[in-house]
Amino acid sequence: MTTETTTPTTTTVLDASGVTMRFGGLTAVRNVDLTVNSGEIVGLIGPNGAGKTTFFNCLTGLYIPTEGKVSYKGTVLPPKPHLVTKAGIARTFQNIRLFSNMTVLENVLVGRHTRTKEGLWSALLRLPGYHKAEDSSRERAMELLEFIGLQDKADHLARNLPYGDQRKLEIARALASDPGLLLLDEPTAGMNPQETRVTEELIFAIRDQGIAVLVIEHDMRFIFNLCDRVACLVQGEKLVEGTPGDVQADERVVAAYLGTPFEGAPGAEEVAEVEAAEAHAGTPSTTTPAKDTTPDTTSTDEEGTR
Ligand SMILES: Nc1ncnc2c1ncn2[C@@H]1O[C@H](COP(=O)(O)OP(=O)(O)OP(=O)(O)O)[C@@H](O)[C@H]1O
Ligand SMILES: [Mg+2]
């Protein structure tokens, strides 16, 4: 008798290679390689302005990368948002983008437009075809609302939801396109610790449904608890990639993002000079090498409208 052992096969879901994005003289993302495999939750961290959202915009076709290519399950993606979504990549935005005057359920239904033959405009204008598509999609949308715990608020206007619920609704809307890869840009920004824990569980559950996840976040406890792998961007470049343990302990990451400088780290020399001068003058140092790591929940920065 032969015994067969089946080992789960890991496939590369996302393969971004040599991605560079320049805006005039500014290189926001420089030659970044990143893969996400099936079954993985990968974290993307880095100081404010490091290029994390710009990288997401390159992955999702909102920006056409100056250089590099993005493949999803072995196929190079055209840099067009609707084709990227159709291929199987969905995302949420750093600054919540819901249709505030539509209901919670309608927002999820709009997210299904790539999986129905009715288009986005049909959904937004509520044309007759949309109502038919709505009938067939409603069940799936309600399932998703149940999954994120908002089923009792299906008829509420999105704008009336508490902030944490709006972030969850964005996730449900993204899931409505039946993605194989979900990109989350600061999903817990502005959340209290309890809401953050619930979101963490939600992301594990999404992964368990076979959807790979790439997540940007400034909350390091959340990232290191959640992710299988973490990559750190600094000034547009991938500084380090590894397990949460490796990245947490990496002196370059500590110096550039998490705190405390070390010799040779970016900015460490200047900090050392200032500290030495202040020590000489007898004043305490107020300088820190790490850039602001506070989530920018009020940010109105450009996320890729073209
Ligand atoms: N459309 C654009 N035109 C010009 N510069 C841009 C554009 N989008 C982003 N940038 C610049 O690219 C750099 C990276 O910005 P990005 O928003 O990607 O950073 P981030 O890592 O997401 O930061 P945060 O943590 O604050 O969200 C910044 O200097 C930003 O000003
Ligand atoms: Mg950002």
Side-chain angles (χ1 to χ4, degrees):
M1 197 177 104
T2 56
T3 51
E4 280 184 31
T5 51
T6 50
T7 46
T9 47
T10 302
T11 55
T12 303
V13 178
L14 176 80
D15 186 359
S17 72
V19 173
T20 293
M21 186 72 217
R22 289 193 199 96
F23 300 106
L26 173 81
T27 304
V29 176
R30 190 190 299 271
N31 198 23
V32 172
D33 297 332
L34 191 76
T35 58
V36 179
N37 299 316
S38 53
E40 269 193 321
I41 302 175
V42 177
L44 190 58
I45 63 170
N48 293 122
K52 304 178 299 295
T53 297
T54 303
F55 183 63
F56 265 26
N57 289 342
C58 292
L59 299 180
T60 52
L62 282 171
Y63 291 157
I64 300 172
T66 317
E67 286 163 35
K69 66 173 188 209
V70 179
S71 300
Y72 175 75
K73 295 187 176 173
T75 304
V76 176
L77 292 173
K80 294 204 180 334
H82 68 287
L83 295 179
V84 170
T85 310
K86 206 164 187 163
I89 299 180
R91 74 175 289 180
T92 63
F93 289 88
Q94 184 169 348
N95 301 315
I96 295 173
R97 290 186 181 184
L98 292 169
F99 295 101
S100 55
N101 288 325
M102 290 173 83
T103 67
V104 166
L105 177 64
E106 284 167 343
N107 269 277
V108 182
L109 286 169
V110 167
R112 269 203 82 69
H113 77 273
T114 50
R115 295 292 170 237
T116 62
K117 64 180 182 12
E118 313 305 323
L120 175 63
W121 288 111
S122 173
L124 290 175
L125 299 173
R126 299 166 199 194
L127 300 175
Y130 161 72
H131 285 295
K132 275 193 214 144
E134 188 193 21
D135 287 343
S136 61
S137 291
R138 181 178 286 266
E139 201 178 322
R140 174 70 183 136
M142 282 308 296
E143 262 173 37
L144 287 168
L145 288 180
E146 212 160 307
F147 181 62
I148 61 160
L150 286 183
Q151 70 277 19
D152 295 338
K153 296 184 178 174
D155 295 334
H156 293 210
L157 288 181
R159 67 158 187 260
N160 293 336
L161 290 184
Y163 185 77
D165 283 352
Q166 292 195 13
R167 285 227 168 261
K168 283 200 289 186
L169 178 54
E170 272 233 314
I171 294 177
R173 190 182 59 184
L175 292 174
S177 66
D178 295 338
L181 173 67
L182 179 63
L183 310 182
L184 300 169
D185 196 344
E186 301 197 22
T188 70
M191 285 187 174
N192 63 37
Q194 166 63 15
E195 289 171 323
T196 298
R197 268 196 300 279
V198 170
T199 304
E200 194 176 293
E201 290 308 316
L202 182 63
I203 296 171
F204 280 130
I206 290 168
R207 188 269 321 270
D208 292 345
Q209 294 204 349
I211 300 168
V213 178
L214 178 61
V215 54
I216 294 172
E217 194 44 81
H218 285 288
D219 179 340
M220 289 304 110
R221 186 192 299 238
F222 171 83
I223 281 285
F224 292 135
N225 198 32
L226 188 71
C227 298
D228 303 297
R229 263 188 311 128
V230 177
C232 180
L233 286 191
V234 174
Q235 293 175 4
E237 292 187 69
K238 190 170 76 176
L239 185 70
V240 168
E241 181 183 337
T243 63
D246 291 344
V247 170
Q248 226 167 334
D250 192 290
E251 289 180 323
R252 290 166 295 174
V253 178
V254 172
Y257 184 40
L258 302 177
T260 338
F262 75 101
E263 211 182 325
E269 230 170 80
E270 291 87 327
V271 171
E273 275 173 25
V274 171
E275 283 179 344
E278 284 175 341
H280 187 68
T283 52
S285 170
T286 53
T287 316
T288 163
K291 296 189 181 168
D292 179 15
T293 57
T294 312
D296 181 9
T297 53
T298 56
S299 164
T300 52
D301 59 353
E302 178 59 64
E303 287 190 346
T305 34
R306 283 195 308 199

